[in-house]
Amino acid sequence: MLNALDKLMLEKVADLHDIPQGAFNIRKNGQGVQRNTTENIDIITKTDKSGIDVIVKPYTQGETVHIPVIVTEDNLNDVVYNTFEIGEYSDVEIIAGCGIHNCGTQKSQHDGIHTFYVRKGAKLKYVEKHYGQGEGTGQRVLNPKTIIEAEAGAVVELELIQIKGIDRTKRETEIRLMGNAKLVVTERLLTYLDQEAESSINVELLGVDSSAQIISRSVAQDNSKQEFYFDLDGKNKCRGHIQCDAIIMHNAVVLSTPKISAHHSEAQLVHEAAIGRIESEQLIKLMSLGFSEKEAEDTILNGFLK
Amino acid sequence: MLNALDKLMLEKVADLHDIPQGAFNIRKNGQGVQRNTTENIDIITKTDKSGIDVIVKPYTQGETVHIPVIVTEDNLNDVVYNTFEIGEYSDVEIIAGCGIHNCGTQKSQHDGIHTFYVRKGAKLKYVEKHYGQGEGTGQRVLNPKTIIEAEAGAVVELELIQIKGIDRTKRETEIRLMGNAKLVVTERLLTYLDQEAESSINVELLGVDSSAQIISRSVAQDNSKQEFYFDLDGKNKCRGHIQCDAIIMHNAVVLSTPKISAHHSEAQLVHEAAIGRIESEQLIKLMSLGFSEKEAEDTILNGFLK
């Protein structure tokens, strides 16, 4: 059911060289094509709208769930609603990449609306990789919306990565943290040509001793445009830290609007942002080692986005 | 013409113990009450609206201009438009405090709209201190708007200080920097009771090698609320740096929304923001030296806002 192109896309977005171990659900061009469940992790097709419910039993340890999406047709607008129930004291990793191969002239779009309930003491790592390719002139568009409720003591780690080839993206991420819940978000974004990317991450620190760290790194090349909106909203004794760095090249534009909002006298919120070009000292050092300017640049950019 | 109260207010907002040396214009309750001009600095009353034109001749060196405003009546809404022509290669300091003494039940408000043309190679230091007092229940409101055009090679230093006693303030500061122009803004803000302060500073870095540095420090106590909006907009090869730190106490709220916008690949923009409470280590150290908790707190806050 999966052809060579499908397999290439799965490798790009989910590091899958084969059908994965454990629970998985592969969606292609708007339809589920393959699924596996385990004793601890169930995957159920929603009956009221397009999408799945992923249910992780309490105390499940060390399992993974792959839910890659591939789009290989143009003129497709795939909207999917996935809900994740991460049972208390479980510890799981969910890998949810999306790859678009568009050879046509029409737009291919995938909008994934993901809602996570991370129960008491559970630990979730969620990885989302976005990749586009194809010689067509049709736009490749990905608009993910991620909503996370982290209960007391939950630990949530997010890796949000746009590898390349996405013409337009609008990411919305909303997270609510209860007492002692801990969040780490790593965002990596590359845009070039006339691509446009917008990312907004809003975190409400609601519980005592909740903490959030957001690390965003991006590279904007050619005529591309990036907009970032972050909001850390401290409503209790809490700690929050945003760090965003962008490398800007050519005629690109980067707008970064982070917000820190302290609604409590024991909210400790810090933000750092920097936009600049590649450091010339780093370039010169690599070129003195025999790299061409292009190779030196690529090496620095790859390291930065790693 | 100036009574003891007036003189106290002048001391608070302009460090004046007497009628100042050099050029000055004292405004009281919506009217000019005293003025002095010099050979190099002229002050002319506007004919089309309320306010003055301050004209500094090119190459003027080391002179000061005091333009304090005092409001000692309630139920007053004083709007004034002042224009400053800072001639090329001059080097001057302008001190523009505003003090409100309100013993009444009605609002006292002063809105100063200040426009500066800082010509080629000129150096301007502009100090604006805001202070309120009086036992009345009438609100003390100050809404300054400051617009600055800095020509090639101009150096502009701003000190914007709200000492205490201002119930509501909305500050708007807009600055445009041409080639090699340099800006340093220092903002200090204290709010308490149910005071509200909003400050927005927008800087456009238009010229090659223009640079801007904004350092904002504030303390929010009791039920007061502070909102900060900063935007550094790099439209050429330029450098910009925003650093804002707030100490939050009691039930105060601080919202900080800095924005850095890179519209040029050689724009280097950095932002740092932190909101937190007084460091307990600092408190303990001072208390171990014999300070009471209140004294230790005051010492730290004074140092922070210095």
Side-chain angles (χ1 to χ4, degrees), chain A residues 92-128:
Chain A
V92 292
E93 181 170 350
I94 297 175
I95 297 104
C98 181
I100 297 182
H101 177 89
N102 188 342
C103 277
T105 56
Q106 304 292 311
K107 190 169 73 168
S108 295
Q109 179 166 347
H110 174 76
D111 296 356
I113 296 101
H114 289 185
T115 307
F116 293 84
Y117 299 96
V118 187
R119 301 300 178 192
K120 206 165 63 173
K123 210 171 153 190
L124 166 69
K125 179 171 181 179
Y126 176 63
V127 181
E128 192 178 78

Side-chain angles (χ1 to χ4, degrees), chain B residues 14-56:
Chain B
D15 291 322
L16 289 179
H17 302 275
D18 216 324
I19 289 305
Q21 298 291 309
F24 68 86
N25 187 81
I26 301 173
R27 182 181 179 92
K28 180 181 169 185
N29 295 325
Q31 289 185 315
V33 292
Q34 220 168 329
R35 175 180 299 175
N36 189 46
T37 61
T38 70
E39 206 186 311
N40 294 314
I41 300 177
D42 205 3
I43 299 177
I44 302 160
T45 303
K46 273 190 200 296
T47 52
D48 57 336
K49 50 191 169 186
S50 185
I52 52 174
D53 289 337
V54 175
I55 298 156
V56 176

Side-chain angles (χ1 to χ4, degrees), chain B residues 6 26 42 62 65 97 102-103 110 122 128 147 155 158 190 199 230 236 241 246 248 257:
Chain B
D6 297 342
I26 301 173
D42 205 3
V65 186
N102 188 342
C103 275
H110 173 76
E128 192 178 77
I147 299 153
V155 176
L158 300 188
L190 170 68
S199 173
F230 300 111
N236 211 324
H241 188 191
I248 184 171
T257 308

Side-chain angles (χ1 to χ4, degrees), chain B residues 85-89 117-123 149-155:
Chain B
E85 163 73 29
I86 312 298
E88 29 175 85
Y89 303 107
Y117 299 96
V118 187
R119 301 300 178 192
K120 207 166 62 174
K123 211 172 151 187
E149 293 266 344
E151 290 188 358
V155 176

Side-chain angles (χ1 to χ4, degrees), chain A:
Chain A
M1 203 172 298
L2 294 172
N3 60 33
L5 173 62
D6 298 341
K7 284 178 179 167
L8 173 71
M9 301 298 280
L10 288 178
E11 192 185 326
K12 288 283 184 188
V13 300
D15 291 322
L16 289 179
H17 300 276
D18 216 325
I19 290 304
Q21 298 290 309
F24 67 86
N25 187 81
I26 301 173
R27 183 180 178 93
K28 180 181 168 185
N29 295 326
Q31 289 186 314
V33 292
Q34 220 169 328
R35 175 179 300 174
N36 189 46
T37 61
T38 70
E39 207 185 310
N40 294 315
I41 300 177
D42 205 2
I43 300 176
I44 302 160
T45 304
K46 273 190 200 294
T47 52
D48 57 335
K49 50 192 169 186
S50 184
I52 52 174
D53 290 338
V54 175
I55 298 157
V56 177
K57 273 193 194 159
Y59 299 96
T60 301
Q61 291 295 309
E63 291 199 38
T64 58
V65 186
H66 284 84
I67 48 163
V69 169
I70 49 182
V71 176
T72 58
E73 290 171 1
D74 72 338
N75 201 15
L76 186 84
N77 193 347
D78 182 26
V79 182
V80 62
Y81 297 83
N82 295 335
T83 306
F84 302 83
E85 164 71 30
I86 312 298
E88 14 174 281
Y89 303 107
S90 63
D91 181 351
V92 292
E93 181 170 350
I94 297 175
I95 297 104
C98 181
I100 297 182
H101 177 89
N102 188 342
C103 277
T105 56
Q106 304 292 311
K107 190 169 73 168
S108 295
Q109 179 166 347
H110 174 76
D111 296 356
I113 296 101
H114 289 185
T115 307
F116 293 84
Y117 299 96
V118 187
R119 301 300 178 192
K120 206 165 63 173
K123 210 171 153 190
L124 166 69
K125 179 171 181 179
Y126 176 63
V127 181
E128 192 178 78
K129 281 190 189 170
H130 286 172
Y131 172 72
Q133 66 173 33
E135 272 79 58
T137 55
Q139 283 203 332
R140 299 176 292 262
V141 179
L142 287 172
N143 294 332
K145 178 159 188 172
T146 307
I147 299 153
I148 300 178
E149 293 266 344
E151 290 188 358
V155 176
V156 178
E157 190 181 336
L158 300 187
E159 275 184 35
L160 309 173
I161 301 163
Q162 179 169 318
I163 307 167
K164 66 178 288 191
I166 304 303
D167 294 302
R168 296 283 179 276
T169 189
K170 192 174 172 181
R171 322 177 136 274
E172 288 175 75
T173 309
E174 288 171 19
I175 299 158
R176 293 157 55 87
L177 301 173
M178 305 303 147
N180 270 300
K182 186 180 169 188
L183 169 75
V184 179
V185 181
T186 309
E187 182 177 50
R188 295 292 180 266
L189 194 60
L190 170 68
T191 57
Y192 50 96
L193 298 173
D194 63 352
Q195 297 175 352
E196 289 180 13
E198 186 182 315
S199 172
S200 74
I201 301 179
N202 296 307
V203 180
E204 278 183 279
L205 296 133
L206 295 164
V208 180
D209 287 326
S210 54
S211 74
Q213 188 177 13
I214 300 172
I215 304 156
S216 168
R217 285 192 180 180
S218 71
V219 175
Q221 299 177 322
D222 301 330
N223 294 303
S224 67
K225 187 176 177 187
Q226 300 182 352
E227 287 182 67
F228 296 96
Y229 300 91
F230 300 112
D231 190 1
L232 275 189
D233 192 353
K235 294 188 166 156
N236 211 323
K237 177 171 184 279
C238 64
R239 278 175 307 120
H241 188 191
I242 310 174
Q243 189 185 328
C244 42
D245 291 289
I247 290 180
I248 184 171
M249 299 168 74
H250 316 119
N251 297 309
V253 171
V254 178
L255 311 178
S256 182
T257 309
K259 182 172 177 179
I260 50 178
S261 310
H263 286 96
H264 193 281
S265 65
E266 290 188 86
Q268 305 247 20
L269 305 174
V270 175
H271 171 258
E272 299 161 81
I275 306 174
R277 57 181 175 165
I278 293 179
E279 258 187 66
S280 53
E281 270 179 41
Q282 270 191 291
L283 268 182
I284 290 161
K285 191 187 276 177
L286 286 175
M287 286 164 73
S288 75
L289 295 171
F291 286 74
S292 72
E293 188 173 347
K294 177 83 178 68
E295 288 167 343
E297 232 174 58
D298 289 347
T299 303
I300 293 167
L301 296 182
N302 286 337
F304 181 71
L305 290 178
K306 184 137 280 169

